[in-house]
Amino acid sequence: MPELPEVETIRHDLDREVTGRRIKSVEVTGTRSVRRGTKKGFMTRLEGAKITGVKRRGKYLVLVLDTKEWLVIHLRMSGQLLLAAPKDPKPKHTHVVISFHQQGGELRFVDPRTFGELFVVHPDQLAEEAPELLQLGFDPIDDPISWIKFGHLLLARRMPLKTFLTDQGVVAGIGNIYADEILHAAGLRYDRASNSLSPQEMRRLYRSMVEVLSEAIKARGSSLADDQYVDLHGRTGTYQAHHQVYARDGQPCARCRATVERAKWQGRSTFYCPQCQV
DNA sequence: ACGCCCGCCTGTAAGC
DNA sequence: TGCTTACAGGCGGGCG
């Protein structure tokens, strides 16, 4: 579900709402969401700890604890984090509940498809226990690089542009929606080879990537028809109103009026304008 | 060695 | 109406 702009929106709100709070208790009801290490270890490492900050690495959320450990959360396709009062009815598929001291309410992890995951790790143990966090590429919002350096990555990789953008080991945080939107903004086809771009096209792709992601963060992310993505308070994002191609097949391209097409590519839907993306 | 597809799950919508 | 099928924001493993 969520990509960089949605995860960043949650990170920002979490930082405001839970940083400084101390964890009173942790309840793990589901069987799949906490699957690294034991549930008991997960609970005891969290209980009594204070959250000192909330960071993001690509699509991963990192809640830093005063024990120096990290609570890492990945929402995958259908995970949600919701802040609620203990008396509020728990939504179906609530798998983990983290309660805070002082009228802090509780943080709920809700995930119908159960692909999402939470685990606690000490940052010194990442190589052994969570290598995927070390293998992430650069973060286009948190950790921007020069477009020249970006160009070197494009030349070195020799892969279709959409594969390049969604490879978390190259660029961290982009998924199916934003890859399509970025490529449309840049006027480039999803299947163009990354090493076939002119310097102007490389710069345009870099600028489009940063611009689309920044604007999407300002709009608090994209919520699709199913409203699967909501923020900590259950509110939808508004960037879907700015989508130019994603889920807009059959409609005219805002730039050239050609009809937006949907293709099945590498097992997933890709939306693009066959005329102005080259 | 590398690119592609499946499976992991549940829910929803479309098609028949 | 109701059954079946396809598909959905991600990603790792395993296959060819």
Side-chain angles (χ1 to χ4, degrees):
Chain A
M1 174 225 313
E3 305 181 28
L4 190 154
E6 292 77 32
V7 179
E8 176 58 23
T9 301
I10 296 170
R11 185 211 64 77
H12 175 268
D13 289 1
L14 266 183
D15 196 28
R16 206 177 48 200
E17 301 281 359
V18 306
T19 292
R21 296 235 172 116
R22 194 174 290 283
I23 296 170
K24 184 165 67 180
S25 62
V26 178
E27 203 180 321
V28 181
T29 45
T31 54
R32 292 175 44 84
S33 306
V34 178
R35 49 185 179 260
R36 253 179 251 220
T38 64
K39 281 202 235 172
K40 188 161 185 211
F42 177 79
M43 290 160 62
T44 54
R45 287 164 85 172
L46 289 178
E47 285 171 357
K50 186 157 127 188
I51 295 166
T52 58
V54 185
K55 300 176 187 300
R56 182 184 56 74
R57 299 279 167 97
K59 300 174 195 167
Y60 292 85
L61 282 165
V62 177
L63 282 68
V64 181
L65 309 173
D66 63 351
T67 59
K68 308 292 178 214
E69 293 205 293
W70 289 359
L71 167 58
V72 180
I73 304 173
H74 197 304
L75 303 170
R76 295 283 182 108
M77 293 284 269
S78 61
Q80 297 175 336
L81 281 175
L82 298 170
L83 208 55
K87 61 171 168 43
D88 294 338
K90 286 190 182 52
K92 201 176 172 186
H93 306 300
T94 300
H95 305 307
V96 180
V97 178
I98 296 173
S99 308
F100 299 101
H101 283 287
Q102 312 119 9
Q103 70 280 32
E106 59 186 38
L107 184 64
R108 298 163 173 179
F109 179 74
V110 179
D111 187 12
R113 294 174 71 179
T114 68
F115 297 163
E117 184 181 14
L118 303 85
F119 61 90
V120 179
V121 67
H122 192 285
D124 292 344
Q125 299 296 311
L126 287 178
E128 297 78 17
E129 294 172 19
E132 63 269 45
L133 281 167
L134 295 176
Q135 287 157 10
L136 292 172
F138 80 99
D139 189 299
I141 293 299
D142 232 27
D143 175 29
I145 60 176
S146 68
W147 76 265
I148 299 281
K149 210 170 158 191
F150 182 72
H152 290 317
L153 287 177
L154 285 165
L155 289 171
R157 289 289 170 148
R158 310 156 187 241
M159 42 171 65
L161 286 177
K162 185 164 178 178
T163 305
F164 178 92
L165 289 176
T166 55
D167 183 334
Q168 303 302 299
V170 183
V171 191
I174 298 172
N176 209 35
I177 294 178
Y178 293 102
D180 285 1
E181 291 301 321
I182 289 164
L183 288 167
H184 178 266
L188 295 166
R189 277 181 66 98
Y190 57 95
D191 53 359
R192 266 286 287 282
S194 67
N195 58 333
S196 74
L197 271 54
S198 70
Q200 289 83 353
E201 288 174 323
M202 292 177 183
R203 193 170 52 179
R204 214 175 339 125
L205 180 58
Y206 187 77
R207 276 182 37 183
S208 299
M209 175 178 69
V210 174
E211 252 179 56
V212 166
L213 295 173
S214 305
E215 289 303 308
I217 291 169
K218 280 188 206 160
R220 300 183 59 80
S222 301
S223 297
L224 303 186
D226 58 8
D227 280 351
Q228 191 54 244
Y229 166 70
V230 289
D231 67 14
L232 271 190
H233 306 284
R235 298 173 304 217
T236 55
T238 60
Y239 192 70
Q240 63 280 6
H242 302 275
H243 289 181
Q244 303 290 301
V245 286
Y246 190 85
R248 290 179 54 83
D249 47 317
Q251 298 181 243
C253 169
R255 186 166 48 209
C256 75
R257 314 316 289 176
T259 304
V260 173
E261 283 187 14
R262 173 195 196 130
K264 194 84 181 165
W265 190 70
Q266 293 191 351
R268 317 195 60 186
S269 289
T270 284
F271 301 91
Y272 68 106
C273 173
Q275 184 163 285
C276 67
Q277 291 181 246
V278 297

